[in-house]
Amino acid sequence: MRNVLNTGAAPVELDEFQYDNKIVRDFAIASVVFGLIGMLVGLLAAFQLAFPQLNFDLPFTTFGRIRPLHTNAVIFAFVGNGFFAAMYYSAPRVLKAPMWSPLLSKFHFWGWQLIILGAAITLPMGITTSKEYAELEWPFDIAIAVVWVAALVNLVMTMLNRRVEHIYAAVWFYVASFVAVAMLHVVNSVALPVSFFKSYSWYAGVQDALVQWWYGHNAVAFFLTTPYLGMMYYFLPKAANRPIYSYRLSIVHFWALIFLYIWAGPHHLLYNALPDWAQTLGTVFSIMLLAPSWGGMINGLFTLRGAWDKVREDIVLKFMVVAITAYGMATFEGPMLSLKNVNAISHFTDWTVAHVHVGALGWNGFLLFGILYWLLPRIYGRSLYSNKLANFHFWIGTLGILFYAVPMYWAGWIQSAMWKEFTQEGLLKYPNFLETVTQLAPLYFLRGVGGTLYIIGFIVMIYNLLMTALNGKLIATETAKAPALSAITHNDPQEHWHRRIFERRPVFLTIMALVAVAIGGLIELVPTFMVDSNVPTIASVQPYTPLELQGRDIYVREGCYVCHSQMVRPFRDEIERYGEYSKAGEFVYDRPFQWGSKRTGPDLHRIGGKYPDSWHYNHMDDPASMSPGSIMPKYPWLLEDELDTTTTAAKIRAMQTLGVPYDEGFDQVANKDLQKQAEKITESLKQSGIKTKSDKEIIALIAYLQRLGTDIKAGQGVAVK
Amino acid sequence: MKFRNYLETISGVSIFPLISLVIFFVFFVVLIWYVIQMDRSKVEAVSKMPLEDGILRKGALALLAFFVIPVANAQSATPSPNESLNIGILTGLLGLLILTLVIVLVQAVIVLQRVSANQKAAEALDTAPESNVSWWSRFSGFGVSLTEEKKILIADHDYDGIHELDNRMPPWLQFLFVGTIFIAIAYVIYYHSGFGDLQQAELDKEIAQAEVAKKAYLAKVGASIDENSVTLLEDAGILKEGQTIYQEKCAACHGPEGGGVVGPNLTDEYWLHGGGVKSVFKSIKYGIPEKGMISWEKQLSPTDIQKVSSYVISLKGTKPANPKEPQGELYTEGGDAPARDKAVAMNQ
């Protein structure tokens, strides 16, 4: 409006153009449908921890395969599609231009849904890289990169074809999200394919861990935070009909946020084999993130100043206020969890699970619900079907979050305290890990109840939105008029520097956003790769034998890392419980690394040699037979299925390419070596009265488990009595 | 966990959660009843109450005083003998009550004044210069009042109807940002210039401290039992305790009745690693790792190992279902010397 007036006396010709609401609707449907599936899968996983029989003794429904499906579906399908729906609605409107290419929009939509469908099929099949939130195998990684860049191009071209002089804050956040995720995804996914559905990470051990959590943490930042901040910057002032509280704050918190966030990844690896300097960087940048993160909350909540009376009435604002509050709580908790003494307690426990769910259920979920309640009626040209139902959704959803979070915090604290408690004789008070798990069963059940409440609300929303849509008619396109950019461009020497430098220049803005996010990554990653002293080598650490390598791939396939860490932290209680703490040099042949992030079961890094082969055999068949009360799923198929040895040679060659020092030509004799080792294990099983063939998968898995963490002992064996 | 231990030492502690549950329940029931019966006009009247920052702040201060004064009171009263202590507390509480009442009354009067003068105040605000805004408002980010907002609405910022204000960043947020940067720098200096402990040093200290504490404890309770000093216990109560430990830790491999599963049969007279309480104690304590028997030294205290060893020996001659065939050397009490030598040899 202002722009039109400013153009002076000469009458300006107005362009006429159409906003596409159909793509918005499509993404919204995809978000809601996949969201429901993702949440139901999460609910199943939640109840599996309370009732292990819900694993159904099937490979496809075990917790280790279900949990990655849940996280991927909720992050990339529910939250992701929600972001796209909101972006395809808001970006054209603040830029006064339809999306540059409807074809690219369509490509983005269908490409993304096909990838999700692929994930839904391959993850339960055990096709996984085991890198958290990046579990999809390499063909999907390539597809994601292509689709993602296509969407980025579409957005940048729309920015270039805009009909406003300056680019609004919401779009800064969108574009930063796109460039950052593109960078993170590509760097983290570099891998050497072995077959169509199997690849080995380009990085090994400590380096793989650093890259993964650089990615993992910033997937939270640039997939769950910045896009949703951008959405807040459009939909909150729209819904509240209030101006944004502070333009200056939006500039400061945008640049500070994207610059600082990228450094914080190593806080997922505190008290770890990661070098001290990298851990410190992770901590201090997390501390500095507090104010920039809160900048978003403040700009949101203070925008509501003078509109708080509306919050009482308006369901959209209600959802948004809870969402922003949850964001504020989660971004306060984040830096606190990054302090090493707090992290020593929280890491590997359900505390982390509670933390991320406050973010996911509260911030992402509730913001998206608020937006959908605002958006759907508008593109269907009628008011919301039922305010009562929406209110019900709000209250049951809030209750659901509480019921979810409180038991999980409780579980985290209890379990951590039990892990660390010693008796006066200097022994662990709870030496049996299982004791600390069975304590949590009621809390796991309560958490499931919380999830159920949240999903009930979600289903009520689906019904409400569906009835809104059925009783209205989709306004597929909206016509708008505005003068062309060239007609309104004017030079204002008094203009704010940020407007002059960034908001007029979309490509420059995009590039500078990339620069801002690239700096932290480069400074942390490059030295870890280049400087040898960061990963001190241990002479006795040898490459895996072919059988162990195959066993390791089974370990990856079954998603053991979901519940078992392989990282004994340098604490008295962990050394007492598991053995010598893990050293960086022990992981140099681990592609991908398997440190894990949660201990639902005990750490396995020193499991090698702790139990006899027969124990593992019986335990995999029925964990409760060896550990009464265990909540681990049964893996009877490992005892039946034959190991696929046709891949051995290719795997050895791939490892050689990646620099693992197998002898020249070892790939040709690898299977012979594999056979020999398998016979040995079969023999030892036979002595314990177990009759099995040497070609079963269980043999390979036992070989791997018995090897775990033993190399370092071989080096010291002479010295230790 | 400490806190829980303290709680457990209070007798009849379980009544307190019950009482608080009842209090909360009653409170919420009353609140819900109040909300339900409240009519529309009342809601609106309440919503129009001009609860401005000043009042909130004073209220918060009053609350703070409420919590601080009893503490101060209690401290001053501690040294006096019991009776005067009670009187002191009572006077303190009474004074506090009066004080609270006065504060509440003052607040109520202020609110009433505000409500009646609402109209006038709003007009006055319109013309008031900006310097009238309290430092607290400015500090918290509300330096510009709602009515003056037009003045800081940035011209030319219109995005699909969204406008932007030119509020400065709330000073407290700026301080927070700068503060965290200083903390970050201090953190790096502290840990990387030798003052603070990095993880290795921290671990060394933790273990050294634990060693000292453990030694002190063991010195206090007397020398602990080891494989040379252990004796066979035959008291039924102790064997019962041994059985409990056995069922929990050993039954998975040796069978619930000791007949052997993965591990050998414990009910016969043949022993792979020596019979007799000393050898059994040793096998349990250090394990036979190469055969899959793990070391229990870190999970069971020496007295627990003694109990379970005694229980295992008491199993001799019992008739478990599906026993494993005997393994190892025949061991009989008394003539044990050669058999044990052999077992030790195998162990090494």
Side-chain angles (χ1 to χ4, degrees), chain A residues 644-679:
Chain A
D644 177 13
T645 50
T646 58
T647 53
T648 313
K651 285 179 175 177
I652 295 290
R653 278 195 299 275
M655 284 299 184
Q656 282 172 325
T657 312
L658 291 167
V660 178
Y662 290 116
D663 292 338
E664 193 77 22
F666 184 64
D667 57 317
Q668 296 308 317
V669 294
N671 266 334
K672 215 180 276 171
D673 182 283
L674 182 149
Q675 195 55 40
K676 225 168 83 189
Q677 196 183 359
E679 293 296 347

Side-chain angles (χ1 to χ4, degrees), chain B residues 48-217:
Chain B
K48 282 193 186 117
M49 222 179 251
L51 290 173
E52 281 162 22
D53 301 338
I55 293 190
L56 283 181
R57 191 170 77 251
K58 281 173 205 151
L61 281 177
L63 270 180
L64 190 70
F66 184 82
F67 285 114
V68 169
I69 289 170
V71 173
N73 221 324
Q75 275 172 350
S76 63
T78 329
S80 48
N82 244 356
E83 282 165 46
S84 58
L85 176 84
N86 282 341
I87 294 168
I89 290 176
L90 274 179
T91 340
L93 278 178
L94 201 66
L96 204 68
L97 202 66
I98 295 170
L99 195 70
T100 318
L101 272 176
V102 170
I103 292 172
V104 169
L105 276 175
V106 171
Q107 299 280 332
V109 170
I110 294 173
V111 170
L112 277 175
Q113 272 179 348
R114 292 274 170 92
V115 172
S116 57
N118 202 10
Q119 205 62 33
K120 227 187 281 171
E123 282 163 20
L125 260 178
D126 223 33
T127 51
E130 240 185 271
S131 56
N132 257 4
V133 180
S134 72
W135 72 269
W136 175 256
S137 292
R138 263 185 262 173
F139 183 72
S140 49
F142 298 117
V144 180
S145 70
L146 268 178
T147 42
E148 295 199 352
E149 203 177 74
K150 289 186 263 344
K151 292 181 190 163
I152 54 162
L153 197 66
I154 312 177
D156 249 18
H157 285 219
D158 177 343
Y159 307 96
D160 196 27
I162 300 171
H163 297 266
E164 289 178 298
L165 296 171
D166 197 20
N167 273 307
R168 60 186 287 202
M169 262 176 84
W172 66 268
L173 190 65
Q174 287 183 28
F175 291 151
L176 183 67
F177 193 22
V178 175
T180 54
I181 292 171
F182 277 115
I183 291 173
I185 295 169
Y187 187 101
V188 174
I189 293 172
Y190 182 73
Y191 281 108
H192 289 271
S193 64
F195 292 111
D197 291 334
L198 290 171
Q199 57 188 27
Q200 182 64 54
E202 206 178 315
L203 174 69
D204 294 344
K205 274 189 191 168
E206 190 188 6
I207 288 181
Q209 250 171 23
E211 275 308 311
V212 172
K214 186 175 147 187
K215 279 215 180 88
Y217 176 79

Side-chain angles (χ1 to χ4, degrees), chain A residues 73-125:
Chain A
V74 170
I75 297 173
F76 299 108
F78 170 59
V79 176
N81 278 321
F83 161 44
F84 303 140
M87 186 192 80
Y88 279 105
Y89 184 86
S90 57
R93 281 168 174 80
V94 294
L95 297 168
K96 286 203 180 130
M99 290 309 290
W100 174 63
S101 160
L103 193 71
L104 275 186
S105 305
K106 273 217 171 64
F107 174 70
H108 179 196
F109 178 78
W110 287 110
W112 196 252
Q113 309 320 323
L114 283 177
I115 290 165
I116 291 166
L117 212 62
I121 295 168
T122 55
L123 289 176
M125 287 172 66

Side-chain angles (χ1 to χ4, degrees), chain A residues 513-565:
Chain A
L514 181 61
V515 170
V517 295
I519 292 173
L522 285 175
I523 293 180
E524 283 177 352
L525 298 184
V526 172
T528 316
F529 284 82
M530 297 297 167
V531 185
D532 289 340
S533 67
N534 281 318
V535 184
T537 44
I538 301 171
S540 60
V541 174
Q542 295 294 318
Y544 293 106
T545 67
L547 186 65
E548 289 157 6
L549 193 63
Q550 292 284 13
R552 190 168 201 279
D553 289 340
I554 294 170
Y555 186 97
V556 167
R557 183 188 77 195
E558 298 300 341
C560 305
Y561 70 93
V562 168
C563 293
H564 295 281
S565 58

Side-chain angles (χ1 to χ4, degrees), chain A residues 438-453:
Chain A
T438 39
Q439 281 279 336
L440 308 181
L443 297 169
Y444 282 145
F445 175 75
L446 263 186
R447 177 262 295 268
V449 171
T452 310
L453 294 179

Side-chain angles (χ1 to χ4, degrees), chain A residues 455-493:
Chain A
I455 293 175
I456 289 173
F458 191 74
I459 292 169
V460 168
M461 179 192 77
I462 296 178
Y463 172 75
N464 203 353
L465 295 179
L466 189 70
M467 293 309 284
T468 309
L470 289 179
N471 288 317
K473 194 175 171 324
L474 178 69
I475 306 165
T477 52
E478 271 174 63
T479 308
K481 284 182 186 175
L485 180 60
S486 54
I488 52 169
T489 307
H490 66 297
N491 265 329
D492 180 0

